[in-house]
């Protein structure tokens, strides 16, 4: 929910929206339905419990790895934003890449037979 006084959003609302998006994402459901059952062994107990455990393990590993990447990106992002020389170099490199891609696409027309 957006707070009109300062333009900030409620963190609980953002988290809830993220959970809802992930629950309704068909790719996630297809992954769990297609990938996880091959690791379930009916001899070891209830298949539903095993799939639940694998799903929780998957979510936990994703949370840990995403947290590590977010921490690293936040730390380096703060340092990189303060470096004016690096920002200038980045603009020049990205501009050059975009120009090169434009030229490449201009000369990559279909060949006549």
């Amino acid at each position: 929910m957006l707070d009109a006084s300062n333009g900030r959003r409620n963190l609980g609302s953002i988290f809830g929206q993220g959970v809802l998006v992930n629950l309704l994402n068909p790719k996630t459901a297809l992954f769990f339905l297609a990938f996880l059952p091959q690791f379930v062994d009916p001899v070891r107990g209830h298949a539903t419990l095993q799939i639940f455990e694998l799903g929780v393990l998957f979510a936990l590993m994703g949370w840990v790895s995403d947290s590590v990447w977010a921490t690293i990106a936040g730390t380096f992002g703060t340092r990189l934003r303060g470096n004016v020389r690096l920002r200038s170099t980045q603009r020049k490199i990205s501009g050059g890449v975009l120009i090169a891609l434009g030229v490449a696409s201009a000369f990559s027309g279909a060949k006549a037979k």
Side-chain angles (χ1 to χ4, degrees):
M1 181 162 305
L2 186 63
D3 184 4
S5 63
N6 62 7
R8 298 191 131 194
R9 294 186 72 172
N10 180 2
L11 291 179
S13 172
I14 294 171
F15 180 78
Q17 185 179 8
V19 169
L20 182 65
V21 167
N22 279 314
L23 286 176
L24 297 176
N25 185 354
K27 291 186 291 184
T28 305
L30 284 174
F31 170 79
F32 283 111
L33 291 174
F35 186 69
L36 290 183
Q38 65 184 331
F39 297 105
V40 172
D41 184 9
V43 177
R44 294 184 180 239
H46 294 287
T48 305
L49 180 62
Q50 290 180 46
I51 288 178
F52 177 75
E53 289 172 347
L54 290 170
V56 168
L57 181 62
F58 177 80
L60 183 63
M61 289 183 343
W63 179 75
V64 169
S65 68
D66 289 350
S67 297
V68 168
W69 284 115
T71 303
I72 291 170
T75 302
F76 285 118
T78 303
R79 291 181 184 168
L80 293 176
R81 268 187 302 249
N83 191 337
V84 177
R85 184 176 172 191
L86 180 64
R87 285 190 299 179
S88 174
T89 303
Q90 181 184 10
R91 276 195 305 267
K92 291 174 185 171
I93 290 173
S94 62
V97 167
L98 290 173
I99 291 170
L101 287 171
V103 169
S105 67
F107 288 110
S108 68
K111 305 248 190 280
K113 287 187 177 182

